[in-house]
Amino acid sequence: MKANQISTGKFVNDKEVIAVELSNTKGTYVKIFNYGTIINKFVVKNAKGEDQDIVLGFDDFDGYISKEYLSNYPYFGSIVGRYANRIKGGEFTIEGTSYQLPKNNGDDCLHGGLQGFDQKVWDIVELTESPNASVTFHYYSFDGEEGFPGDLAVQLQFTLTENDELILTYQADTDEATPINLTHHSYFNLAANSNDIRSHVHQMNASNWLEQDDNYVVTGKLIPVDGTHHDFRKGKTFAEGWDEENGYDQTYVLDKTYGELTLASKTSAVDSGLTLSIYTTEPVAHLYTAKYTDVKNGKDGKSYGKFSAFCVETQHAPNSLNIPAFPSTILQPGEVYHQTTIYKVSK
Protein backbone atom coordinates (compact mmCIF):
# COMPACT_ATOMS: atom_id res chain seq x y z
CA MET A 1 0.00 0.00 0.00
CA LYS A 2 1.32 3.43 -0.90
CA ALA A 3 0.26 7.02 -0.24
CA ASN A 4 2.12 9.95 -1.79
CA GLN A 5 1.51 13.65 -2.17
CA ILE A 6 2.75 15.64 -5.15
CA SER A 7 2.64 19.38 -5.74
CA THR A 8 0.85 20.48 -8.90
CA GLY A 9 2.70 23.81 -8.89
CA LYS A 10 -0.71 25.53 -8.88
CA PHE A 11 -2.24 27.84 -6.28
CA VAL A 12 -5.87 28.78 -5.67
CA ASN A 13 -6.51 31.73 -3.33
CA ASP A 14 -2.84 31.53 -2.29
CA LYS A 15 -3.17 27.91 -1.18
CA GLU A 16 -1.14 25.17 -2.88
CA VAL A 17 -2.97 22.50 -4.82
CA ILE A 18 -1.65 19.04 -3.95
CA ALA A 19 -2.34 15.70 -5.63
CA VAL A 20 -2.53 12.67 -3.35
CA GLU A 21 -1.96 9.22 -4.85
CA LEU A 22 -3.25 6.08 -3.12
CA SER A 23 -2.45 2.60 -4.45
CA ASN A 24 -2.74 -1.04 -3.39
CA THR A 25 -0.76 -4.17 -4.32
CA LYS A 26 -3.29 -5.13 -7.02
CA GLY A 27 -2.40 -2.07 -9.06
CA THR A 28 -5.53 -0.11 -8.21
CA TYR A 29 -4.69 3.58 -8.12
CA VAL A 30 -6.63 6.65 -7.00
CA LYS A 31 -5.55 10.27 -7.43
CA ILE A 32 -7.25 12.97 -5.40
CA PHE A 33 -6.67 16.75 -5.44
CA ASN A 34 -6.97 18.68 -2.20
CA TYR A 35 -8.93 21.24 -4.24
CA GLY A 36 -12.56 20.14 -3.82
CA THR A 37 -11.23 16.69 -2.80
CA ILE A 38 -11.62 15.88 -6.50
CA ILE A 39 -11.21 12.22 -7.45
CA ASN A 40 -9.16 12.81 -10.59
CA LYS A 41 -8.32 9.16 -11.36
CA PHE A 42 -9.66 5.78 -10.29
CA VAL A 43 -7.65 3.18 -12.20
CA VAL A 44 -8.44 -0.54 -11.88
CA LYS A 45 -7.64 -3.75 -13.77
CA ASN A 46 -10.56 -4.80 -15.96
CA ALA A 47 -11.46 -8.40 -16.89
CA LYS A 48 -8.87 -8.33 -19.70
CA GLY A 49 -6.12 -7.31 -17.30
CA GLU A 50 -5.97 -3.79 -18.75
CA ASP A 51 -5.63 -0.64 -16.67
CA GLN A 52 -8.86 1.30 -16.93
CA ASP A 53 -9.74 4.70 -15.47
CA ILE A 54 -13.43 4.64 -14.48
CA VAL A 55 -13.99 8.35 -13.68
CA LEU A 56 -14.37 11.36 -15.96
CA GLY A 57 -12.02 14.31 -15.55
CA PHE A 58 -8.94 16.00 -16.94
CA ASP A 59 -5.30 15.03 -17.49
CA ASP A 60 -4.08 17.84 -15.25
CA PHE A 61 -5.45 20.23 -12.66
CA ASP A 62 -5.81 23.25 -14.97
CA GLY A 63 -8.83 21.66 -16.63
CA TYR A 64 -10.85 21.91 -13.41
CA ILE A 65 -10.48 25.68 -13.13
CA SER A 66 -10.69 26.68 -16.80
CA LYS A 67 -13.32 29.27 -17.75
CA GLU A 68 -14.77 26.93 -20.38
CA TYR A 69 -15.28 24.13 -17.86
CA LEU A 70 -16.73 26.37 -15.15
CA SER A 71 -19.17 27.99 -17.59
CA ASN A 72 -21.13 24.70 -17.77
CA TYR A 73 -19.91 23.28 -14.50
CA PRO A 74 -20.67 19.57 -13.85
CA TYR A 75 -18.79 19.17 -10.51
CA PHE A 76 -16.54 16.38 -11.87
CA GLY A 77 -15.40 14.16 -9.00
CA SER A 78 -15.76 16.75 -6.24
CA ILE A 79 -17.28 16.91 -2.79
CA VAL A 80 -20.54 18.85 -2.62
CA GLY A 81 -21.42 20.97 0.43
CA ARG A 82 -22.55 22.44 2.70
CA TYR A 83 -25.72 21.14 1.11
CA ALA A 84 -26.05 18.69 -1.77
CA ASN A 85 -28.55 19.19 -4.55
CA ARG A 86 -31.27 21.86 -4.50
CA ILE A 87 -32.88 23.96 -1.77
CA LYS A 88 -36.18 25.54 -2.83
CA GLY A 89 -35.84 29.28 -3.24
CA GLY A 90 -32.48 29.05 -1.46
CA GLU A 91 -34.42 29.60 1.76
CA PHE A 92 -34.77 27.81 5.08
CA THR A 93 -35.59 28.55 8.71
CA ILE A 94 -33.88 27.30 11.88
CA GLU A 95 -35.44 27.97 15.27
CA GLY A 96 -37.43 30.91 13.93
CA THR A 97 -34.55 32.56 12.05
CA SER A 98 -34.76 32.68 8.26
CA TYR A 99 -31.72 32.37 6.01
CA GLN A 100 -31.27 33.25 2.34
CA LEU A 101 -28.69 31.44 0.21
CA PRO A 102 -27.47 32.34 -3.29
CA LYS A 103 -29.85 31.37 -6.10
CA ASN A 104 -27.34 29.79 -8.43
CA ASN A 105 -29.75 27.46 -10.27
CA GLY A 106 -32.79 29.35 -11.47
CA ASP A 107 -34.69 30.43 -8.35
CA ASP A 108 -33.03 27.77 -6.18
CA CYS A 109 -29.71 27.07 -4.45
CA LEU A 110 -27.71 24.18 -5.92
CA HIS A 111 -24.83 22.23 -4.33
CA GLY A 112 -23.96 24.73 -1.62
CA GLY A 113 -24.11 28.00 -3.56
CA LEU A 114 -21.82 30.00 -5.81
CA GLN A 115 -18.58 28.60 -4.36
CA GLY A 116 -19.22 25.53 -2.28
CA PHE A 117 -16.82 23.02 -0.79
CA ASP A 118 -16.03 21.82 -4.33
CA GLN A 119 -14.05 25.00 -5.07
CA LYS A 120 -12.06 25.20 -1.83
CA VAL A 121 -8.49 24.05 -1.17
CA TRP A 122 -8.64 21.59 1.72
CA ASP A 123 -5.85 20.97 4.22
CA ILE A 124 -4.14 17.57 4.22
CA VAL A 125 -3.99 16.52 7.86
CA GLU A 126 -2.88 12.89 7.64
CA LEU A 127 -1.41 10.43 5.15
CA THR A 128 -1.04 6.75 6.04
CA GLU A 129 0.04 3.52 4.30
CA SER A 130 -0.84 0.88 6.89
CA PRO A 131 -3.01 -1.10 7.17
CA ASN A 132 -4.47 0.69 4.13
CA ALA A 133 -3.46 3.69 2.06
CA SER A 134 -5.47 6.72 3.19
CA VAL A 135 -5.58 10.48 3.23
CA THR A 136 -7.57 12.78 5.50
CA PHE A 137 -8.60 16.26 4.37
CA HIS A 138 -9.97 19.09 6.52
CA TYR A 139 -11.91 22.26 5.69
CA TYR A 140 -13.13 24.98 8.03
CA SER A 141 -16.25 26.75 6.75
CA PHE A 142 -16.80 30.06 8.52
CA ASP A 143 -20.12 31.42 9.76
CA GLY A 144 -21.93 33.14 6.87
CA GLU A 145 -20.09 31.35 4.06
CA GLU A 146 -22.57 31.15 1.18
CA GLY A 147 -25.23 32.32 3.65
CA PHE A 148 -25.05 29.32 5.98
CA PRO A 149 -24.95 29.92 9.75
CA GLY A 150 -22.26 28.68 12.14
CA ASP A 151 -18.59 27.74 11.90
CA LEU A 152 -18.44 24.21 10.50
CA ALA A 153 -15.34 21.99 10.71
CA VAL A 154 -15.41 19.18 8.13
CA GLN A 155 -13.15 16.16 7.75
CA LEU A 156 -13.14 13.72 4.84
CA GLN A 157 -11.00 10.59 4.77
CA PHE A 158 -10.36 8.47 1.66
CA THR A 159 -9.14 4.91 2.27
CA LEU A 160 -8.15 2.46 -0.48
CA THR A 161 -8.23 -1.20 0.62
CA GLU A 162 -6.74 -4.39 -0.82
CA ASN A 163 -10.31 -5.37 -1.81
CA ASP A 164 -10.49 -2.45 -4.26
CA GLU A 165 -12.77 -0.45 -2.00
CA LEU A 166 -12.49 3.32 -1.85
CA ILE A 167 -14.04 4.28 1.48
CA LEU A 168 -15.20 7.87 2.04
CA THR A 169 -15.70 8.75 5.70
CA TYR A 170 -17.16 12.16 6.53
CA GLN A 171 -17.24 13.94 9.90
CA ALA A 172 -18.26 17.46 10.91
CA ASP A 173 -19.10 19.57 13.94
CA THR A 174 -20.44 23.09 14.41
CA ASP A 175 -20.73 25.86 16.99
CA GLU A 176 -24.24 26.84 15.82
CA ALA A 177 -27.22 24.97 14.43
CA THR A 178 -26.60 24.63 10.70
CA PRO A 179 -27.68 22.53 7.70
CA ILE A 180 -25.31 19.89 6.38
CA ASN A 181 -25.85 17.37 3.59
CA LEU A 182 -22.62 16.19 1.97
CA THR A 183 -22.06 13.95 -1.02
CA HIS A 184 -19.41 13.20 -3.63
CA HIS A 185 -20.04 13.84 -7.31
CA SER A 186 -17.88 11.37 -9.25
CA TYR A 187 -18.90 10.62 -12.83
CA PHE A 188 -18.39 6.92 -13.56
CA ASN A 189 -18.09 5.10 -16.87
CA LEU A 190 -17.22 1.40 -16.59
CA ALA A 191 -17.09 0.67 -20.33
CA ALA A 192 -13.67 -0.14 -21.76
CA ASN A 193 -14.16 1.58 -25.11
CA SER A 194 -17.27 3.72 -25.02
CA ASN A 195 -18.24 7.25 -24.04
CA ASP A 196 -21.80 6.10 -23.46
CA ILE A 197 -23.40 4.37 -20.48
CA ARG A 198 -26.74 3.35 -22.03
CA SER A 199 -25.80 -0.36 -21.98
CA HIS A 200 -24.57 -0.36 -18.37
CA VAL A 201 -26.69 -2.67 -16.20
CA HIS A 202 -27.84 -0.85 -13.09
CA GLN A 203 -29.48 -2.17 -9.93
CA MET A 204 -30.74 0.03 -7.11
CA ASN A 205 -32.48 -1.12 -3.96
CA ALA A 206 -35.21 1.53 -3.94
CA SER A 207 -38.99 1.08 -3.95
CA ASN A 208 -39.74 4.81 -4.17
CA TRP A 209 -38.38 7.90 -5.82
CA LEU A 210 -39.00 11.53 -4.88
CA GLU A 211 -41.24 13.80 -6.90
CA GLN A 212 -39.55 16.94 -8.28
CA ASP A 213 -40.84 20.25 -9.57
CA ASP A 214 -39.88 21.74 -12.95
CA ASN A 215 -36.42 22.71 -11.63
CA TYR A 216 -35.71 19.26 -10.14
CA VAL A 217 -36.46 20.38 -6.56
CA VAL A 218 -37.82 17.62 -4.32
CA THR A 219 -41.40 18.33 -3.21
CA GLY A 220 -41.73 15.78 -0.40
CA LYS A 221 -43.96 13.31 -2.23
CA LEU A 222 -42.81 9.68 -2.54
CA ILE A 223 -43.72 7.89 -5.78
CA PRO A 224 -43.58 4.06 -6.00
CA VAL A 225 -41.30 2.68 -8.71
CA ASP A 226 -43.65 -0.26 -9.38
CA GLY A 227 -44.56 -0.51 -13.06
CA THR A 228 -42.34 2.42 -14.09
CA HIS A 229 -38.95 2.82 -15.74
CA HIS A 230 -37.65 3.93 -12.33
CA ASP A 231 -37.71 0.35 -11.05
CA PHE A 232 -34.11 -0.85 -10.83
CA ARG A 233 -34.64 -3.40 -8.07
CA LYS A 234 -33.96 -6.42 -10.31
CA GLY A 235 -31.38 -4.68 -12.49
CA LYS A 236 -31.62 -3.50 -16.10
CA THR A 237 -29.73 -1.34 -18.57
CA PHE A 238 -30.05 2.40 -18.14
CA ALA A 239 -31.62 2.67 -21.59
CA GLU A 240 -34.29 0.03 -21.00
CA GLY A 241 -37.57 1.94 -21.11
CA TRP A 242 -36.05 5.27 -20.15
CA ASP A 243 -36.87 8.75 -21.42
CA GLU A 244 -34.32 8.99 -24.23
CA GLU A 245 -34.28 12.77 -24.03
CA ASN A 246 -33.72 13.16 -20.30
CA GLY A 247 -32.26 9.92 -18.96
CA TYR A 248 -32.21 9.98 -15.15
CA ASP A 249 -31.92 12.90 -12.74
CA GLN A 250 -33.94 11.69 -9.76
CA THR A 251 -33.54 10.92 -6.07
CA TYR A 252 -34.36 7.37 -4.91
CA VAL A 253 -35.28 6.41 -1.35
CA LEU A 254 -33.18 3.38 -0.46
CA ASP A 255 -34.81 0.31 1.08
CA LYS A 256 -32.77 0.17 4.25
CA THR A 257 -32.63 0.81 7.96
CA TYR A 258 -31.73 4.44 8.59
CA GLY A 259 -28.03 4.86 9.39
CA GLU A 260 -26.90 1.30 8.53
CA LEU A 261 -24.11 0.74 6.00
CA THR A 262 -25.84 -1.21 3.21
CA LEU A 263 -25.71 -1.71 -0.56
CA ALA A 264 -27.29 1.20 -2.43
CA SER A 265 -26.55 0.29 -6.05
CA LYS A 266 -24.62 -2.04 -8.32
CA THR A 267 -23.64 -1.14 -11.90
CA SER A 268 -21.84 -3.29 -14.50
CA ALA A 269 -20.43 -3.02 -18.01
CA VAL A 270 -20.18 -6.16 -20.15
CA ASP A 271 -17.18 -5.20 -22.30
CA SER A 272 -14.89 -4.45 -19.34
CA GLY A 273 -16.35 -7.01 -16.95
CA LEU A 274 -16.28 -4.34 -14.22
CA THR A 275 -18.91 -3.87 -11.52
CA LEU A 276 -19.16 -0.87 -9.22
CA SER A 277 -21.04 -1.51 -5.97
CA ILE A 278 -21.86 1.50 -3.81
CA TYR A 279 -22.55 1.13 -0.10
CA THR A 280 -23.74 3.95 2.13
CA THR A 281 -25.11 4.92 5.51
CA GLU A 282 -27.22 7.61 3.82
CA PRO A 283 -31.00 7.25 3.23
CA VAL A 284 -31.20 8.29 -0.43
CA ALA A 285 -29.19 8.20 -3.66
CA HIS A 286 -29.53 10.68 -6.49
CA LEU A 287 -29.05 9.04 -9.88
CA TYR A 288 -27.83 11.30 -12.67
CA THR A 289 -26.91 10.14 -16.18
CA ALA A 290 -25.13 13.31 -17.30
CA LYS A 291 -27.84 14.84 -19.46
CA TYR A 292 -26.32 18.32 -19.25
CA THR A 293 -22.66 17.32 -19.55
CA ASP A 294 -20.79 19.10 -22.34
CA VAL A 295 -17.05 19.11 -21.65
CA LYS A 296 -14.26 19.40 -24.21
CA ASN A 297 -10.62 18.33 -23.85
CA GLY A 298 -11.08 15.81 -21.07
CA LYS A 299 -8.67 12.94 -20.44
CA ASP A 300 -6.68 11.98 -23.55
CA GLY A 301 -8.45 14.81 -25.39
CA LYS A 302 -11.88 13.20 -25.06
CA SER A 303 -15.11 15.14 -25.18
CA TYR A 304 -17.75 14.19 -22.63
CA GLY A 305 -21.35 14.65 -23.69
CA LYS A 306 -24.84 13.56 -22.80
CA PHE A 307 -25.01 10.09 -21.15
CA SER A 308 -21.23 9.76 -21.05
CA ALA A 309 -21.31 8.76 -17.36
CA PHE A 310 -23.52 8.11 -14.36
CA CYS A 311 -23.46 9.53 -10.83
CA VAL A 312 -24.86 7.92 -7.69
CA GLU A 313 -24.88 10.74 -5.13
CA THR A 314 -25.47 9.26 -1.66
CA GLN A 315 -26.97 11.81 0.73
CA HIS A 316 -30.04 12.90 2.69
CA ALA A 317 -33.04 13.94 0.62
CA PRO A 318 -32.58 17.24 -1.24
CA ASN A 319 -34.62 20.16 0.13
CA SER A 320 -35.13 18.29 3.42
CA LEU A 321 -34.75 21.64 5.15
CA ASN A 322 -38.19 22.59 3.88
CA ILE A 323 -39.89 19.18 4.31
CA PRO A 324 -40.50 18.53 8.04
CA ALA A 325 -41.52 14.89 7.46
CA PHE A 326 -38.05 14.03 6.12
CA PRO A 327 -35.08 13.16 8.39
CA SER A 328 -33.48 16.33 9.73
CA THR A 329 -30.32 17.72 8.12
CA ILE A 330 -29.68 20.22 10.92
CA LEU A 331 -26.47 19.68 12.87
CA GLN A 332 -26.55 21.02 16.43
CA PRO A 333 -23.59 22.14 18.57
CA GLY A 334 -22.21 19.16 20.49
CA GLU A 335 -23.33 16.70 17.80
CA VAL A 336 -21.04 15.03 15.26
CA TYR A 337 -22.14 14.58 11.65
CA HIS A 338 -20.96 11.25 10.28
CA GLN A 339 -21.53 9.29 7.12
CA THR A 340 -19.75 6.62 5.12
CA THR A 341 -19.92 5.76 1.43
CA ILE A 342 -17.91 2.97 -0.22
CA TYR A 343 -17.10 2.53 -3.92
CA LYS A 344 -16.18 -1.14 -4.42
CA VAL A 345 -14.90 -2.34 -7.80
CA SER A 346 -15.02 -6.02 -8.74
CA LYS A 347 -14.78 -8.25 -11.82
Side-chain angles (χ1 to χ4, degrees), residues 79-114:
I79 190 173
V80 173
R82 288 189 191 189
Y83 209 93
N85 216 294
R86 292 165 177 83
I87 298 172
K88 184 67 175 178
E91 299 174 324
F92 62 91
T93 300
I94 299 177
E95 299 171 357
T97 300
S98 297
Y99 297 90
Q100 180 65 61
L101 309 176
K103 297 180 179 181
N104 62 322
N105 188 259
D107 195 45
D108 306 309
C109 182
L110 173 66
H111 289 337
L114 298 172

Side-chain angles (χ1 to χ4, degrees), residues 1 23-28 44-45 51 161-164 347:
M1 309 294 283
S23 59
N24 66 19
T25 61
K26 294 182 178 179
T28 299
V44 298
K45 298 284 187 185
D51 286 338
T161 74
E162 281 295 285
N163 295 322
D164 289 343
K347 296 187 280 289

Side-chain angles (χ1 to χ4, degrees), residues 231-346:
D231 191 351
F232 286 102
R233 289 173 295 182
K234 294 182 179 180
K236 63 178 182 178
T237 65
F238 281 125
E240 185 178 337
W242 76 350
D243 178 345
E244 177 62 34
E245 173 61 26
N246 295 307
Y248 291 96
D249 196 353
Q250 283 83 26
T251 301
Y252 293 82
V253 180
L254 300 173
D255 297 335
K256 61 178 296 180
T257 300
Y258 182 75
E260 287 189 358
L261 181 63
T262 54
L263 180 68
S265 68
K266 183 180 290 188
T267 313
S268 303
V270 174
D271 70 334
S272 68
L274 292 176
T275 294
L276 176 67
S277 300
I278 299 179
Y279 299 81
T280 189
T281 55
E282 295 298 272
V284 309
H286 189 87
L287 175 63
Y288 176 52
T289 51
K291 172 187 177 180
Y292 296 105
T293 300
D294 183 12
V295 174
K296 305 294 190 297
N297 298 314
K299 293 175 182 176
D300 299 321
K302 290 181 181 177
S303 292
Y304 303 123
K306 188 175 180 179
F307 307 145
S308 57
F310 69 95
C311 307
V312 178
E313 305 159 47
T314 54
Q315 58 191 270
H316 273 57
N319 200 36
S320 290
L321 288 166
N322 297 307
I323 305 172
F326 282 3
S328 174
T329 51
I330 303 298
L331 182 66
Q332 297 287 348
E335 297 178 342
V336 177
Y337 170 89
H338 184 276
Q339 69 127 311
T340 301
T341 291
I342 300 174
Y343 302 135
K344 179 177 174 58
V345 183
S346 58

Side-chain angles (χ1 to χ4, degrees), residues 76-308:
F76 274 177
S78 68
I79 190 173
V80 173
R82 288 189 191 189
Y83 209 93
N85 216 294
R86 292 165 177 83
I87 298 172
K88 184 67 175 178
E91 299 174 324
F92 62 91
T93 300
I94 299 177
E95 299 171 357
T97 300
S98 297
Y99 297 90
Q100 180 65 61
L101 309 176
K103 297 180 179 181
N104 62 322
N105 188 259
D107 195 45
D108 306 309
C109 182
L110 173 66
H111 289 337
L114 298 172
Q115 285 194 321
F117 292 176
D118 54 289
Q119 294 185 59
K120 307 297 183 181
V121 179
W122 291 53
D123 295 320
I124 299 171
V125 295
E126 187 175 23
L127 209 65
T128 63
E129 294 186 335
S130 179
N132 296 300
S134 73
V135 58
T136 302
F137 297 102
H138 180 271
Y139 178 68
Y140 196 88
S141 177
F142 288 99
D143 178 35
E145 184 175 281
E146 296 297 316
F148 289 97
D151 292 338
L152 184 73
V154 187
Q155 183 171 289
L156 174 54
Q157 181 184 68
F158 293 84
T159 301
L160 179 63
T161 74
E162 281 295 285
N163 295 322
D164 289 343
E165 299 166 316
L166 183 62
I167 304 172
L168 282 63
T169 306
Y170 306 74
Q171 285 191 164
D173 58 71
T174 182
D175 65 351
E176 184 179 345
T178 191
I180 182 169
N181 190 17
L182 305 179
T183 192
H184 223 266
H185 212 305
S186 286
Y187 284 67
F188 293 101
N189 186 320
L190 306 177
N193 298 295
S194 175
N195 267 352
D196 192 293
I197 50 88
R198 286 176 173 84
S199 64
H200 281 44
V201 176
H202 184 72
Q203 180 183 359
M204 183 175 286
N205 301 319
S207 297
N208 296 278
W209 63 284
L210 298 177
E211 181 186 65
Q212 301 171 152
D213 67 14
D214 291 341
N215 196 38
Y216 302 99
V217 181
V218 167
T219 67
K221 180 181 178 181
L222 275 68
I223 302 177
V225 301
D226 295 283
T228 74
H229 69 278
H230 291 286
D231 191 351
F232 286 102
R233 289 173 295 182
K234 294 182 179 180
K236 63 178 182 178
T237 65
F238 281 125
E240 185 178 337
W242 76 350
D243 178 345
E244 177 62 34
E245 173 61 26
N246 295 307
Y248 291 96
D249 196 353
Q250 283 83 26
T251 301
Y252 293 82
V253 180
L254 300 173
D255 297 335
K256 61 178 296 180
T257 300
Y258 182 75
E260 287 189 358
L261 181 63
T262 54
L263 180 68
S265 68
K266 183 180 290 188
T267 313
S268 303
V270 174
D271 70 334
S272 68
L274 292 176
T275 294
L276 176 67
S277 300
I278 299 179
Y279 299 81
T280 189
T281 55
E282 295 298 272
V284 309
H286 189 87
L287 175 63
Y288 176 52
T289 51
K291 172 187 177 180
Y292 296 105
T293 300
D294 183 12
V295 174
K296 305 294 190 297
N297 298 314
K299 293 175 182 176
D300 299 321
K302 290 181 181 177
S303 292
Y304 303 123
K306 188 175 180 179
F307 307 145
S308 57

